[in-house]
Amino acid sequence: MSDDLISVPSLTGASSQSDEPSALTASAKDRLPHYSSLVTSMSELWLQQEQKMTRSMQCEAETSTVSIETSRKAITPESDLNLPNRHFHIVTTAALPWFTGTAVNPLLRAAYLHRRTQEINGQDHQWVTLVVPWLDRPEDQKETLGRIFVSQQEQDTYIRDWLRNEANMPDAASGLRILFYEARYHIGLGSIFAMGDLLQTIQGTGLTMDVCILEEPEHINWFRAPGDSWTHKYNYVIGVLHTNYKEYVTANGGVSGLWAGPAISLLSSAMVRAYCHKVIKLSAALYDYAPEKEVVCNVHGVRSEFLTEGKRRASECSSEKDETTPYFIGKLMWAKGLDLLLRLEDYHKALTGVYFPIDIYGKGPEQEIIQKAFQTGSRNRKENRHANENSYGSIIGKTVDIIQSNAIHVSDETETASCKSKVASDSSISTSKASSTSKASSLISAFRHSIVSQDSTRPKLREPIPCQFPGRVDHLALGRYKTFVNPSISEVLCTTTAEALAMGKFVIIPIHPSNEFFLSFPNCLGYRNEFEFVASFHWAQNNEPLPMTTELAAKLTWEAATDRFIEASAITVEEAHNRKQHGQTKLDERIAWFHNELGKGKRGDMLRKLLGGGPVSDQVKYVNGTQDETTSGRLTDSDDTESLSSSESLVNDGQVISDISASSDGEMGDDELGGNSKFRQSAFSTAVRVRLSSLKKQYHDSG
């Protein structure tokens, strides 16, 4: 106790040497108040210290929580495209001078990424490589490019000259690396596909395998030769989806094999999931491929020359020199909405008594029959497609359904629809004081009878439409027009619509998910049915487009598109963690493995043939250098489209089908894997086995 009495005063600042004698000799009564005071002081000191420690622990806990939340929202290093020393490979399925979206947009993406990487790294170096197809058959070049290049270097020069002179990007023209891969054109599908192992071609150049951007990843991988997975060779793989192939197949009636709606949806989803870390959909028009990987974002822009043309138009006091005739520009295929344009023409004539003139620019595989439909009035080919008024292509049918579903609840809408139907029909609709339900029923009946039922009574031959087909042209050369008409609903995001808006034109387009990005622009005239189209068309004929504001013009630039692309490509730490926790990464790897195994050897070539590969089926033979030009390299258009349905082909290849189906039933054995592994069943493998069983049954039935 004496030690305590001596030490406590020393802690409060008193001298232990001078106080020691009195502390030892004082009575207990005299020492008690002094002792109590010291204890109280120490208690307060300890309490303060404890409170300070508690506050510190709370602060650390809060900081830790914020830190964890921040780390979850942080971008993974692999997906951060703003980091220095990143190398980009942009792989696409088309190249100039085929002026299609998958040729022009990836080229401009590569050019603007080249500029961005130069800014980030602060040094002159080739950080970006554009990987494009080289068509090794002259007839393929003539069909798609409109000319024949004798060497890859000649086409390389053409692409760079276009970047320098047309896109006004001399820095990218000289600094961008361009790599060609062997490819062939599939006439039946209107698409280009790689021949041989495309990934091995890239890797063989010795380039750094860092970031890969697959423009149309499903298209690139449908008929690919067996080889390594993209996600194994690259640190990060981004897929940009350009085309609504399911809509194309549905619109054209579909064929057997791969090019049937459900089959192409299944296989496309598998390819996207297996070979991409992140997927960018240009619009919500596309269905879900891999929801945990997807983001909807317009990552395309327009060339600066289109915005310059828009400024020129806005500065003119008068537009008397403008061409009042509307125009369309695009690949001449029915899937581009030209069949819907015919219906709009017919509806316009029903209301006004005349067809409206239009200039249609472009070339394509269905050009001849399209010209015949517009210029001669013979439209038999497209009549059958719209026999079903419930299809989305039948805008009137859709409008009737909307009226019917809302008629009971909204009587005012019924009155509005009644007015519209009076314009479209000479039928007399009762205006008695009946209930809204009765009025709606009679209205819909008359509407269907006067408009929709015309499909079955319309003559097979009609008056020619006043139109011209001038051929392929650069959109920038059409500055004299003020109205662009694009009725397509099969697009994901239409580049020509963005270009027309940038030039300060009216654009008349359907209200559809593929057009959502454009609807906020004041010169965009959206319509939901034929009646609204006619109203928008006549508004455009009698008014002038508004000048583009600086803010709206900035949204259309490639600089803004590149910013959106970099942001949309990122994956947060939390997203990566969730994928791993749910086993989605392992699922993707299994699909990639299974796809690669199916593509090996003779069975792989045969399976590609059965799925519609045509001239690009013999991938293994091509890699081995044993391809037979008479059978694989020179297939005709009829070979492309008939190889899937020919009973003779199925009989000849029946044994191969049986072998494939047998190896797919249950688990694959050691001889298939080259080891002791067993392939685990999945939804994808089950669906493939079902498809193979169907082919096997078709073979036996044909026998």
Side-chain angles (χ1 to χ4, degrees):
M1 175 64 73
S2 61
D3 290 339
D4 294 338
L5 291 175
I6 293 171
S7 61
V8 170
S10 66
L11 293 175
T12 60
S15 174
S16 60
Q17 295 294 331
S18 58
D19 293 340
E20 182 178 2
S22 59
L24 294 173
T25 58
S27 64
K29 184 177 180 179
D30 294 335
R31 294 199 305 266
L32 185 59
H34 182 61
Y35 173 76
S36 300
S37 177
L38 293 176
V39 170
T40 301
S41 299
M42 288 303 300
S43 298
E44 292 178 354
L45 180 62
W46 290 335
L47 182 60
Q48 292 174 3
Q49 185 69 15
E50 183 178 349
Q51 292 174 343
K52 181 178 179 181
M53 292 178 62
T54 301
R55 287 196 301 269
S56 177
M57 293 176 62
Q58 290 175 344
C59 183
E60 289 178 2
E62 292 173 358
T63 303
S64 177
T65 302
V66 173
S67 177
I68 293 173
E69 184 65 22
T70 302
S71 66
R72 286 178 177 175
K73 301 302 180 184
I75 299 173
T76 60
E78 295 81 7
S79 69
D80 191 349
L81 306 188
N82 277 318
L83 292 177
N85 301 320
R86 302 301 308 257
H87 292 262
F88 297 85
H89 295 168
I90 300 177
V91 185
T92 188
T93 57
L96 299 185
W98 194 13
F99 287 93
T100 186
T102 48
V104 177
N105 288 314
L107 173 59
L108 291 174
R109 190 185 327 284
Y112 280 89
L113 270 177
H114 169 77
R115 283 186 176 178
R116 182 62 60 88
T117 55
Q118 298 301 308
E119 295 172 1
I120 293 173
N121 294 283
Q123 54 179 305
D124 188 13
H125 184 72
Q126 287 184 320
W127 303 99
V128 181
T129 301
L130 178 66
V131 185
V132 295
W134 164 255
L135 296 168
D136 58 6
R137 302 190 299 185
E139 59 267 35
D140 287 350
Q141 292 191 33
K142 187 67 175 177
E143 177 69 24
T144 59
L145 309 180
R147 57 171 295 179
I148 297 175
F149 294 103
V150 297
S151 66
Q152 295 179 5
Q153 183 58 45
E154 186 179 356
Q155 188 173 4
D156 180 284
T157 300
Y158 180 96
I159 295 172
R160 295 183 189 278
D161 287 344
W162 185 88
L163 268 179
R164 183 178 295 105
N165 302 323
E166 301 298 331
N168 194 28
M169 301 186 72
D171 54 331
S174 58
L176 186 66
R177 182 190 289 111
I178 299 177
L179 175 65
F180 288 89
Y181 63 88
E182 300 290 332
R184 287 181 179 172
Y185 179 63
H186 193 309
I187 298 176
L189 303 181
S191 300
I192 295 174
F193 297 93
M195 294 302 297
D197 191 344
L198 170 55
L199 190 55
Q200 184 61 41
T201 299
I202 301 173
Q203 191 175 11
T205 61
L207 298 174
T208 303
M209 312 291 278
D210 184 13
V211 179
C212 182
I213 302 168
L214 296 178
E215 308 276 353
E216 295 202 310
E218 73 281 48
H219 181 162
I220 289 173
N221 289 290
W222 281 330
F223 302 120
R224 67 168 295 190
D228 293 325
S229 171
W230 297 91
T231 53
H232 285 174
K233 290 298 181 181
Y234 283 94
N235 295 326
Y236 195 58
V237 182
I238 306 160
V240 181
L241 304 181
H242 291 246
T243 308
N244 192 342
Y245 286 105
K246 183 178 180 181
E247 177 66 28
Y248 273 25
V249 170
T250 303
N252 285 284
V255 294
S256 58
L258 165 64
W259 291 85
I264 194 173
S265 299
L266 170 68
L267 193 56
S268 295
S269 296
M271 297 303 95
V272 169
R273 177 173 290 284
Y275 298 119
C276 298
H277 292 114
K278 189 65 178 282
V279 181
I280 300 176
K281 301 193 297 188
L282 298 179
S283 76
L286 289 167
Y287 61 96
D288 291 338
Y289 294 81
E292 77 282 358
K293 297 183 178 183
E294 296 175 358
V295 63
V296 176
C297 183
N298 174 17
V299 294
H300 288 175
V302 299
R303 289 153 43 197
S304 58
E305 289 78 4
F306 288 101
L307 293 167
T308 301
E309 169 64 17
K311 293 178 181 178
R312 181 197 66 78
R313 291 178 60 88
S315 64
E316 291 182 351
C317 298
S318 174
S319 59
E320 295 178 357
K321 297 180 181 180
D322 283 349
E323 175 63 60
T324 57
T325 300
Y327 74 99
F328 168 89
I329 183 171
K331 187 185 296 185
L332 296 190
M333 298 173 59
W334 289 116
K336 292 293 184 179
L338 292 170
D339 53 335
L340 299 178
L341 183 57
L342 283 174
R343 294 177 63 82
L344 295 174
E345 287 277 8
D346 290 338
Y347 192 87
H348 184 274
K349 187 176 188 299
L351 292 184
T352 66
V354 296
Y355 293 115
F356 61 86
I358 188 168
D359 294 338
I360 301 175
Y361 290 88
K363 292 185 177 181
E366 298 175 301
Q367 179 175 346
E368 183 177 349
I369 194 169
I370 289 173
Q371 286 188 228
K372 182 179 179 182
F374 277 83
Q375 294 178 337
T376 68
S378 177
R379 304 173 203 168
N380 295 340
R381 183 187 185 280
K382 301 312 298 173
E383 290 295 332
N384 292 334
R385 181 188 301 180
H386 295 286
N388 181 7
E389 65 187 44
N390 291 324
S391 68
Y392 190 52
S394 178
I395 303 178
I396 287 184
K398 188 72 174 179
T399 304
V400 170
D401 292 339
I402 293 173
I403 294 174
Q404 191 170 25
S405 63
N406 291 281
I408 297 177
H409 304 287
V410 187
S411 59
D412 291 342
E413 291 184 3
T414 304
E415 294 292 342
T416 302
S418 177
C419 294
K420 291 185 179 180
S421 68
K422 288 179 181 179
V423 176
S425 171
D426 294 330
S427 302
S428 175
I429 299 177
S430 174
T431 57
S432 61
K433 300 297 183 179
S435 66
S436 60
T437 303
S438 300
K439 291 166 64 179
S441 298
S442 60
L443 167 63
I444 293 169
S445 176
F447 192 72
R448 287 184 183 275
H449 177 74
S450 61
I451 300 297
V452 181
S453 62
Q454 290 182 11
D455 286 345
S456 59
T457 60
R458 200 173 284 156
K460 297 300 180 183
L461 290 175
R462 289 165 288 187
E463 296 179 22
I465 294 172
C467 63
Q468 299 184 65
F469 289 81
R472 182 183 292 164
V473 67
D474 189 339
H475 196 180
L476 192 61
L478 305 180
R480 68 182 186 278
Y481 293 91
K482 77 167 184 175
T483 305
F484 171 66
V485 174
N486 184 12
S488 176
I489 56 173
S490 65
E491 302 290 340
V492 176
L493 186 84
C494 190
T495 302
T496 53
T497 299
E499 292 171 346
L501 283 172
M503 286 193 284
K505 302 175 183 290
F506 282 125
V507 297
I508 306 179
I509 56 178
I511 296 176
H512 184 263
S514 61
N515 292 322
E516 185 176 352
F517 179 81
F518 306 121
L519 296 177
S520 62
F521 290 79
N523 290 332
C524 178
L525 306 179
Y527 64 89
R528 289 166 291 188
N529 51 53
E530 286 96 331
F531 183 86
E532 292 185 4
F533 169 82
V534 174
S536 296
F537 175 78
H538 283 273
W539 170 269
Q541 292 291 296
N542 295 282
N543 293 274
E544 297 302 323
L546 296 174
M548 182 81 71
T549 64
T550 304
E551 292 76 12
L552 288 176
K555 291 176 62 176
L556 295 173
T557 65
W558 265 105
E559 287 83 359
T562 303
D563 290 337
R564 293 194 296 265
F565 175 79
I566 292 175
E567 182 179 356
S569 299
I571 293 178
T572 65
V573 173
E574 185 175 17
E575 287 175 327
H577 176 73
N578 289 339
R579 290 188 194 178
K580 186 175 181 180
Q581 286 290 99
H582 296 153
Q584 290 159 335
T585 301
K586 291 183 178 180
L587 172 62
D588 299 344
E589 292 175 351
R590 288 166 54 193
I591 294 174
W593 175 87
F594 187 68
H595 181 232
N596 182 57
E597 289 298 312
L598 285 178
K600 290 181 177 179
K602 181 181 178 181
R603 294 187 316 175
D605 284 348
M606 184 54 60
L607 183 58
R608 278 182 283 271
K609 181 179 180 182
L610 293 171
L611 293 177
V616 298
S617 297
D618 295 329
Q619 294 286 348
V620 176
K621 288 184 180 180
Y622 190 93
V623 172
N624 295 335
T626 60
Q627 68 271 25
D628 183 358
E629 286 291 332
T630 61
T631 59
S632 65
R634 302 288 176 179
L635 292 179
T636 64
D637 189 17
S638 60
D639 293 328
D640 296 343
T641 56
E642 294 177 4
S643 61
L644 300 179
S645 57
S646 170
S647 60
E648 180 181 355
S649 174
L650 287 172
V651 171
N652 293 338
D653 302 325
Q655 184 58 47
V656 177
I657 298 173
S658 299
D659 292 343
I660 296 173
S661 182
S663 66
S664 299
D665 291 334
E667 296 181 334
M668 290 187 174
D670 296 346
D671 58 329
E672 294 294 327
L673 298 174
N676 297 322
S677 302
K678 291 288 185 179
F679 177 73
R680 297 179 180 178
Q681 293 188 5
S682 67
F684 172 69
S685 63
T686 301
V688 171
R689 283 196 293 274
V690 170
R691 175 60 183 159
L692 291 174
S693 298
S694 175
L695 289 172
K696 183 177 179 180
K697 183 178 183 301
Q698 184 179 356
Y699 155 68
H700 287 302
D701 292 345
S702 65

